[in-house]
Amino acid sequence: MKYTEEHEWLLVEGDVVVVGITAHAAEQLGDVVFVELPEAGTEVAKDDEIVVIESVKAASDILAPLDGEIVEVNAALADNPGLVNEDPTGDAWFFKMKPSDLAPMEEYMDEAAYNDFIS
């Protein structure tokens, strides 16, 4: 698993990358009350704002970590946004994307580096 400075986690499964937010980010947001997801089939560029998260404390965006296509979204989050607080690195993934190039994944932090980043 890799991590971004925007507190996203990225998990490579074959040629697809699964994206969610870290437990640290979920804790900082507080109770999540709304999640707006992109549509499958959407082409995105790195750093595009593609997910909106609203919590009792603030609204936040999730950025596309890579160039590519959204191939699946987690529809369960629309019905139960609280999943983000319950299981941020498991059932509460936001979207799966097929990147045009996986090489930029090497630039993201591993778990040890991320833990140093948030400490």
Side-chain angles (χ1 to χ4, degrees):
M1 192 175 284
K2 295 285 192 170
Y3 300 88
T4 72
E5 291 185 356
E6 289 76 32
H7 308 287
E8 299 169 12
W9 56 262
L10 315 172
L11 178 64
V12 177
E13 293 181 343
D15 62 349
V16 171
V17 177
V18 185
V19 180
I21 63 169
T22 65
H24 173 78
E27 184 179 314
Q28 296 297 311
L29 282 170
D31 293 336
V32 174
V33 296
F34 178 76
V35 176
E36 182 179 324
L37 297 167
E39 291 187 25
T42 303
E43 293 285 337
V44 296
K46 184 180 184 308
D47 295 333
D48 281 355
E49 297 173 354
I50 56 175
V51 174
V52 176
I53 304 170
E54 292 181 15
S55 73
V56 294
K57 291 183 179 176
S60 185
D61 296 315
I62 300 261
L63 307 179
L66 304 160
D67 296 339
E69 179 185 357
I70 305 299
V71 294
E72 185 178 349
V73 298
N74 188 353
L77 291 178
D79 295 332
N80 184 10
L83 272 177
V84 174
N85 300 106
E86 295 167 18
D87 192 10
T89 56
D91 288 342
W93 57 274
F94 287 94
F95 59 89
K96 297 180 181 183
M97 67 180 301
K98 186 171 185 177
S100 57
D101 183 6
L102 276 171
M105 287 289 295
E106 297 301 318
E107 299 170 14
Y108 290 117
M109 296 178 275
D110 62 16
E111 185 172 0
Y114 180 72
N115 287 334
D116 286 345
F117 177 72
I118 61 173
S119 63

